[in-house]
Amino acid sequence: IREVWKHPLFQTIVAYILYLLLSGFWSDTLDWYRLGQKATVAVNLISFIAVTHFLVHWNRSLFERMLQACILFATFAAVISIVVFYSNNPFPATRLNPIGSLTNVNEFSNVYVIFALLAAFFVMRFPGRGLNWVFILSIAAFICVAWFGQSRTAFTALIIALLTLVSLMQKNKRLLCLAALAVLTGLLFLAFPEVVDQLFERGPGLRPLIWAAVLDEAQSAPVFGHGLASTLSVGISGYTFETAHNAFLMLFWQGGAVGVMIFLLLLVVAFRHAWSLGQQQSDFSIFCILIFAVCTMMTGVDTLIERPRDQWMLFWFPLALLLSYQSGASRTRLHTARSASQLTGV
């Protein structure tokens, strides 16, 4: 933590978390147990960022091999989910429900798309390696999860993120990657029109009504919000919803305009440093992951200070990577350089 404390992004993260924890004290009903849970999650988040930073600086190559292994394991899980699910359900009209402990298909789609963008991260950083074809196939598998899961936000946000990534590539690679993305997307639309029909038949759902109800509730405490420990509850069409299905709107309800401004500042700082990192290393993968995260927050995610779920992979992990990769060389490299200088001196 001492090594990253002076980084503007880390300071903004801490300010955001501390403000939301402080808002728990003016909650509608002060729930010490719930506030204690959120404080524990906040400590875990800071620890998660610090541990990621330590692993990258302790042995960056080992950390990246661990990430690659996670991508390959996620690819295996995605393929198995598709095969197992559609062996018992009509293909492809039935909405895919992958295997795992997440609560709904949108969360699965968000997490698998993050793995797709991480795979693109390695394809960009190590062009020409044999393993890259495996990562390209992994990206295709993750896109299929979002497609057959009929997660409109995840798929649209993925296309936006990938188009942004391709547009920032070198010119000699840009056309090839754009063509590959267009071919895959076109094949999905042409080969599985049933999925497209399902996407349009579902319509906007209840989200617009939920957003209107939450916004109406938030106006009773517009400046500082209802507090992190408060529980949202809005009734729509006979159903009770405790989430806003929009991270920004949920934050406005919890932390008011002050909380939203701090969060927007956090995003500005994160995007600024992600762009700077991309220019330094000619790799804008983390920048594009953040674009994907912001897009998906428009229709889901809700509270970011939450136990380990899709929010951690979607938002906190990219921030941890950004802090770690922008903080200089790893300790392994520093140790190697120091040892070499000592040998030279001898």
Side-chain angles (χ1 to χ4, degrees):
I1 293 177
R2 288 197 302 269
E3 294 179 5
V4 297
W5 171 248
K6 293 183 179 180
H7 197 289
L9 178 57
F10 186 79
Q11 293 176 345
T12 314
I13 290 172
V14 172
Y16 166 75
I17 292 175
L18 286 179
Y19 171 76
L20 280 184
L21 289 177
L22 183 63
S23 73
F25 290 100
W26 59 75
S27 298
D28 298 335
T29 300
L30 182 55
D31 187 339
W32 287 101
Y33 178 76
R34 182 176 172 82
L35 188 58
Q37 284 182 319
K38 295 296 185 181
T40 303
V41 171
V43 172
N44 291 338
L45 283 172
I46 298 299
S47 301
F48 174 71
I49 294 172
V51 168
T52 303
H53 181 274
F54 168 77
L55 290 174
V56 171
H57 284 247
W58 172 61
N59 194 324
R60 181 167 174 169
S61 61
L62 176 60
F63 175 79
E64 291 182 346
R65 286 197 296 271
M66 291 165 57
L67 271 186
Q68 291 171 348
C70 290
I71 293 170
L72 296 179
F73 182 81
T75 304
F76 179 76
V79 173
I80 292 298
S81 292
I82 294 173
V83 172
V84 170
F85 181 81
Y86 285 116
S87 64
N88 300 309
N89 296 276
F91 176 81
T94 309
R95 192 177 187 186
L96 173 66
N97 188 16
I99 300 171
S101 60
L102 295 175
T103 57
N104 63 71
V105 65
N106 291 326
E107 294 179 359
F108 279 108
S109 297
N110 290 342
V111 171
Y112 277 122
V113 167
I114 292 298
F115 279 115
L117 294 172
L118 287 174
F121 170 77
F122 287 110
V123 171
M124 291 285 295
R125 291 199 57 184
F126 307 111
R129 290 192 178 183
L131 193 60
N132 280 356
W133 285 107
V134 178
F135 288 139
I136 291 172
L137 293 175
S138 298
I139 294 171
F142 298 140
I143 289 176
C144 286
V145 171
W147 177 257
F148 293 120
Q150 300 176 19
S151 180
R152 292 170 293 190
T153 301
F155 190 81
T156 304
L158 172 61
I159 296 301
I160 293 173
L162 288 178
L163 286 176
T164 304
L165 183 62
V166 169
S167 68
L168 294 171
M169 286 181 176
Q170 298 175 0
K171 291 184 178 180
N172 57 340
K173 300 178 183 178
R174 189 180 303 166
L175 186 60
L176 178 62
C177 293
L178 186 61
L181 180 60
V183 168
L184 178 57
T185 306
L187 284 175
L188 290 174
F189 273 89
L190 294 175
F192 307 107
E194 301 91 341
V195 176
V196 181
D197 294 338
Q198 290 288 333
L199 293 176
F200 285 103
E201 285 178 8
R202 292 211 325 264
L206 296 176
R207 278 186 171 84
L209 298 177
I210 296 171
W211 296 336
V214 174
L215 184 60
D216 185 62
E217 289 278 338
Q219 290 176 2
S220 61
V223 179
F224 298 108
H226 289 81
L228 185 62
S230 299
T231 301
L232 172 67
S233 181
V234 294
I236 304 292
S237 301
Y239 298 94
T240 300
F241 295 91
E242 295 184 351
T243 57
H245 293 278
N246 183 304
F248 298 93
L249 192 54
M250 189 69 182
L251 177 60
F252 180 53
W253 187 87
Q254 290 178 330
V258 175
V260 172
M261 286 189 291
I262 295 175
F263 185 65
L264 291 177
L265 176 62
L266 169 58
L267 290 179
V268 168
V269 173
F271 274 110
R272 175 177 173 272
H273 285 280
W275 180 263
S276 176
L277 179 67
Q279 289 181 316
Q280 293 169 7
Q281 300 185 0
S282 299
D283 178 14
F284 292 88
S285 300
I286 296 178
F287 180 82
C288 293
I289 292 176
L290 290 175
I291 289 178
F292 173 79
V294 171
C295 290
T296 54
M297 286 179 191
M298 299 295 182
T299 62
V301 181
D302 298 304
T303 304
L304 292 173
I305 303 179
E306 190 58 83
R307 61 184 176 83
R309 282 176 54 198
D310 58 317
Q311 296 98 320
W312 286 48
M313 278 294 294
L314 185 67
F315 186 70
W316 297 114
F317 186 53
L319 294 185
L321 284 180
L322 178 57
L323 278 168
S324 302
Y325 280 115
Q326 208 183 33
S327 301
S330 66
R331 290 184 182 180
T332 304
R333 295 180 181 178
L334 291 174
H335 178 74
T336 302
R338 195 177 294 122
S339 299
S341 62
Q342 290 174 353
L343 289 174
T344 304
V346 173

